[in-house]
């Protein structure tokens, strides 16, 4: 099977298994998603969603974050881990948004990745979920599952993003990545993949080699 054909099959099978492909982070505007995604680094979305209500109530606007005392932000996000770096990034990110983008979250990966603490994974999530542009969010689930399927043997997120952009239908790529997260949590787990219960088993290289 050609890689593009296999990728299309994977997209279709995951759509059938997980009809609703939504980001599990809770937010009401682009800035909140940007900040929540930064907090989610090496932290669960569940934990982030427990922390952000108080954070966003205390700092309801980009200007409020830009003027914030970093120590106060640290105290509100401490349970998310790496809180000192994250707090510094969030405040500096909002300062740059105010200085360079009139307080508005930009809609391109190139602009987003100029913000402190924002890499391509976060930038892809924003342009995909907020601005409905083709996006490929390469997180640990994406790396693991697409590797097991046999699309690559890499851990390099940038290379995997480029590969998947070439293989996936652009209008379905963002939701595909959300579904990979759901599938990775439920079935294709890091330690113990449940191949017997996997909707992708028929096209998976790992399943073929291990079952």
């Amino acid at each position: 099977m050609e890689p593009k054909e296999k990728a299309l099959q994977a997209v279709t099978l995951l759509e059938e298994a997980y009809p609703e492909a939504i980001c599990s982070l809770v937010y009401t505007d682009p800035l909140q998603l940007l900040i929540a995604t930064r907090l989610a680094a090496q932290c669960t979305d569940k934990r982030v969603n427990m922390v952000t209500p108080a954070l966003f109530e205390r700092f309801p606007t980009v200007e409020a974050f830009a003027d914030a005392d970093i120590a106060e932000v640290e105290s509100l996000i401490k349970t998310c881990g790496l809180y000192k770096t994250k707090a510094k990034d969030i405040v500096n990110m909002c300062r740059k948004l105010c200085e360079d983008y009139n307080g508005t979250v930009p809609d391109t990966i190139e602009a987003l990745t100029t913000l402190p603490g924002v890499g391509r994974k976060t930038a892809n999530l924003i342009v995909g979920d907020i601005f409905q542009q083709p996006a490929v969010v390469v997180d640990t689930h994406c790396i693991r599952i697409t590797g097991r399927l046999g699309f690559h043997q890499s851990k390099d997120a940038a290379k995997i993003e480029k590969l998947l952009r070439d293989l996936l239908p652009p209008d379905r790529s963002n939701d595909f990545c959300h579904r990979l997260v759901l599938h990775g949590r439920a079935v294709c787990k890091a330690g113990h993949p449940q191949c017997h219960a996997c909707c992708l088993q028929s096209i998976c290289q790992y399943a073929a080699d291990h079952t």
Side-chain angles (χ1 to χ4, degrees):
M1 188 185 302
E2 291 296 316
K4 273 203 171 187
E5 182 185 355
K6 186 175 183 177
L8 184 58
Q9 260 196 274
V11 169
T12 301
L13 289 168
L14 286 172
E15 286 174 348
E16 293 170 356
Y18 307 94
E20 291 190 23
I22 57 172
C23 178
S24 54
L25 292 168
V26 177
Y27 63 95
T28 59
D29 59 47
L31 179 67
Q32 288 190 0
L33 179 58
L34 185 62
I35 291 171
T37 306
R38 181 66 190 97
L39 291 174
Q42 298 183 38
C43 179
T44 65
D45 291 355
K46 182 178 180 180
R47 167 57 59 183
V48 173
N49 290 338
M50 293 170 65
V51 166
T52 49
L55 179 69
F56 295 148
E57 182 177 5
R58 176 65 184 89
F59 304 106
T61 65
V62 66
E63 291 83 7
F65 272 110
D67 291 337
D69 178 351
I70 292 177
E72 185 178 1
V73 177
E74 288 177 359
S75 69
L76 289 166
I77 67 169
K78 196 167 187 177
T79 59
C80 287
L82 303 174
Y83 66 96
K84 287 186 176 293
T85 299
K86 291 177 181 179
K88 183 179 177 182
D89 283 345
I90 288 168
V91 172
N92 287 335
M93 171 200 305
C94 290
R95 287 173 180 169
K96 189 170 179 65
L97 285 173
C98 290
E99 292 167 3
D100 297 351
Y101 298 102
N102 297 314
T104 301
V105 175
D107 62 357
T108 68
I109 289 174
E110 292 72 25
L112 284 160
T113 51
T114 68
L115 301 173
V118 176
R120 290 191 66 85
K121 181 175 77 171
T122 297
N124 269 282
L125 181 66
I126 297 298
V127 300
D129 276 30
I130 299 297
F131 300 108
Q132 286 74 57
Q133 297 176 21
V136 176
V137 179
V138 181
D139 64 0
T140 55
H141 297 291
C142 178
I143 293 170
R144 181 175 72 255
I145 298 172
T146 56
R148 285 175 175 170
L149 285 169
F151 289 118
H152 60 82
Q153 294 181 321
S154 178
K155 299 295 183 186
D156 186 317
K159 290 180 179 177
I160 295 169
E161 180 190 333
K162 184 178 186 304
L163 170 74
L164 294 177
R165 281 187 180 276
D166 291 338
L167 293 179
L168 296 169
D171 60 331
R172 297 160 80 182
S173 62
N174 190 50
D175 286 346
F176 173 75
C177 294
H178 282 317
R179 291 185 172 101
L180 288 179
V181 174
L182 298 174
H183 190 60
R185 289 173 178 165
V187 179
C188 193
K189 301 178 182 181
H192 303 284
Q194 300 170 26
C195 296
H196 65 282
C198 181
C199 62
L200 301 174
Q201 183 180 13
S202 63
I203 61 170
C204 180
Q205 186 62 53
Y206 180 94
D209 292 343
H210 292 81
T211 58

